[in-house]
Amino acid sequence: MRTKSESRRNTILDAAFQVFLENGFSAASMSEISARVGGSKATLYSYFASKEELFVAVIHQFADDQFAELLGMLDLQADLAVALEEFGACFIKLVSHPDLIRMYRNVVGESSHSEIGRMFYARGPQELHKEVSLFLQQCMAQGKLRQADSHIAAQHLVGLLYAEMRDATLFGILENPAETAIQAASQRAIEVFLRGYAVPGTVIT
Amino acid sequence: MRTKSESRRNTILDAAFQVFLENGFSAASMSEISARVGGSKATLYSYFASKEELFVAVIHQFADDQFAELLGMLDLQADLAVALEEFGACFIKLVSHPDLIRMYRNVVGESSHSEIGRMFYARGPQELHKEVSLFLQQCMAQGKLRQADSHIAAQHLVGLLYAEMRDATLFGILENPAETAIQAASQRAIEVFLRGYAVPGTVIT
DNA sequence: TTTTAGTAATACTGTACAGTACGGTTTAGT
DNA sequence: ACTAAACCGTACTGTACAGTATTACTAAAA
């Protein structure tokens, strides 16, 4: 007898990702997804019980994929400013990528009438926050940063990194910022962060 | 003969606001809006040519209403830290208000397939940014803050204010934070901001 | 009073789509 | 080869809703 294959499931997930990306949740149609998979709608529904369930699966995989690369890239050995600037540039690059922006919009758009927002948050931003928070805590212990609540500091760091481009990308004013612009924004953010969390006794230059 | 009244238009706008708030753009129905207005659908369409046009009108009025109260509340005479903390608390309170969050989600959700995002940005965040930026520029001129690009500084300030609660409110983890929590978050953000933009020569404590 | 634009109530058109039903077909394990 | 599950294609059901059309009613302006 035949068995449902994992690869088929992934094919569906890929097609669904495309369609959701292009149309958003409500405007995406299950017929189009199944058409793009190449199979029939019945098959689709044998893998995923509903449109919403499929969307959730897509979001989960997407969050896992995207945020994975950022996790663990903070290096305690390296110079703090350099490490943070590199991390910052990667972060900004990720969160201003057109695909992520579109998915982000879709997730946010659905957050009023479902659990999708919470799920996405837990898998993406939340995970990242933990990582950054832990890193900063260790920096504080090493005396590279002043003593403070590392959770708040992590949020401040990410907030500063978001600061220059978040609204502009979300609302469609800015798309695909240049690598150099990203690095510059990261540097500016990190400079302010490091000043804000400098150890006591430091003299501002 | 009869004339289309401004008050009727506003009634429609109010009802539409409610319905869009509760359901989001695509799930909201024109029939329900007209039912809530009390009139007929034809009347609705005589005031607004389409669902999208009505939504745009709602967004515009909403943005104007909401951001107006924040504009001009930055006082150059007052102590800088106090002025910023008060402004910050008002800002956070505004952007974490359940109604604004829901509308924000709706606007962001529609930003992939229309100009709505750009319109909203221009009327809300953009206006606010100008104001904050101007204020900070004057502070720099007065020597209260170090010399820097005031536009970037404004974005950093707002980014820090958003930092603790933005994702949590957008994704539905946090709703209606307490006044005290808001004030505390504002204080922490302003502290980091003031350290980050302190004038040269200041010794960190 | 007589126009005339505005309004109401309601029915209708056209379309789009989620989800199902079903008969025939392919694939893999036995 | 046999068989059971997965699969295809396609048609179908039911529903929901944007936008229009119709007809009759109402209020203000001439």
Side-chain angles (χ1 to χ4, degrees), chain A residues 152-171:
Chain A
I152 305 282
Q155 285 169 323
H156 284 165
L157 174 59
V158 170
L160 284 167
L161 289 170
Y162 267 131
E164 290 189 41
M165 301 184 175
R166 192 178 208 193
D167 279 342
T169 47
L170 265 188
F171 291 121

Side-chain angles (χ1 to χ4, degrees), chain A residues 1-8 38-40 43 46-47:
Chain A
M1 60 189 99
R2 247 163 131 181
T3 32
K4 297 199 188 187
S5 69
E6 189 67 19
S7 83
R8 186 138 188 86
S40 81
T43 306
S46 84
Y47 279 88

Side-chain angles (χ1 to χ4, degrees), chain B residues 124-144:
Chain B
Q126 175 97 294
E127 285 299 312
L128 185 67
H129 171 78
K130 281 188 207 156
E131 193 80 8
V132 174
S133 180
L134 181 63
F135 175 78
L136 293 179
Q137 195 181 348
Q138 289 165 330
C139 290
M140 290 172 189
Q142 291 177 7
K144 292 179 184 169

Side-chain angles (χ1 to χ4, degrees), chain B residues 88-107:
Chain B
C90 279
F91 177 79
I92 297 175
K93 189 172 176 181
L94 172 64
V95 299
S96 52
H97 188 288
D99 284 358
L100 194 135
I101 291 290
R102 292 179 87 94
M103 283 315 261
Y104 192 95
R105 284 178 189 149
N106 294 340
V107 172

Side-chain angles (χ1 to χ4, degrees), chain A residues 3-157:
Chain A
T3 32
K4 297 199 188 187
S5 69
E6 189 67 19
S7 83
R8 186 138 188 86
R9 201 187 129 95
N10 287 332
T11 309
I12 294 175
L13 240 32
D14 288 352
F17 173 70
Q18 297 281 345
V19 176
F20 283 130
L21 198 64
E22 289 165 22
N23 307 93
F25 177 73
S26 44
S29 101
M30 292 296 267
S31 297
E32 176 156 1
I33 293 172
S34 86
R36 224 175 274 199
V37 171
S40 81
K41 268 212 283 185
T43 306
L44 203 57
Y45 277 93
S46 84
Y47 279 88
F48 301 95
S50 68
K51 189 183 182 183
E52 168 133 357
E53 187 173 302
L54 177 54
F55 186 62
V56 168
V58 166
I59 294 300
H60 275 182
Q61 180 175 328
F62 182 73
D64 291 351
D65 287 357
Q66 297 298 312
F67 286 89
E69 74 177 76
L70 271 179
L71 260 52
M73 87 169 280
L74 285 167
D75 183 4
L76 276 171
Q77 260 64 59
D79 176 69
L80 181 56
V82 173
L84 286 180
E85 274 170 25
E86 277 175 12
F87 167 79
C90 279
F91 177 79
I92 297 174
K93 189 172 176 182
L94 172 64
V95 299
S96 52
H97 188 288
D99 284 358
L100 194 136
I101 292 289
R102 291 179 89 93
M103 283 315 261
Y104 191 94
R105 284 178 189 149
N106 294 340
V107 171
V108 166
E110 296 305 311
S111 292
S112 291
H113 31 268
S114 75
E115 297 298 305
I116 290 171
R118 275 184 274 275
M119 291 172 179
F120 177 76
Y121 180 74
R123 296 238 182 167
Q126 175 98 293
E127 285 298 312
L128 186 67
H129 171 78
K130 280 188 210 156
E131 192 80 8
V132 174
S133 180
L134 181 62
F135 175 78
L136 293 179
Q137 194 182 349
Q138 289 165 330
C139 290
M140 290 172 189
Q142 291 177 7
K144 293 177 182 170
L145 296 173
R146 71 179 161 89
Q147 294 297 322
D149 184 322
S150 65
H151 290 283
I152 305 282
Q155 285 169 323
H156 284 165
L157 174 59

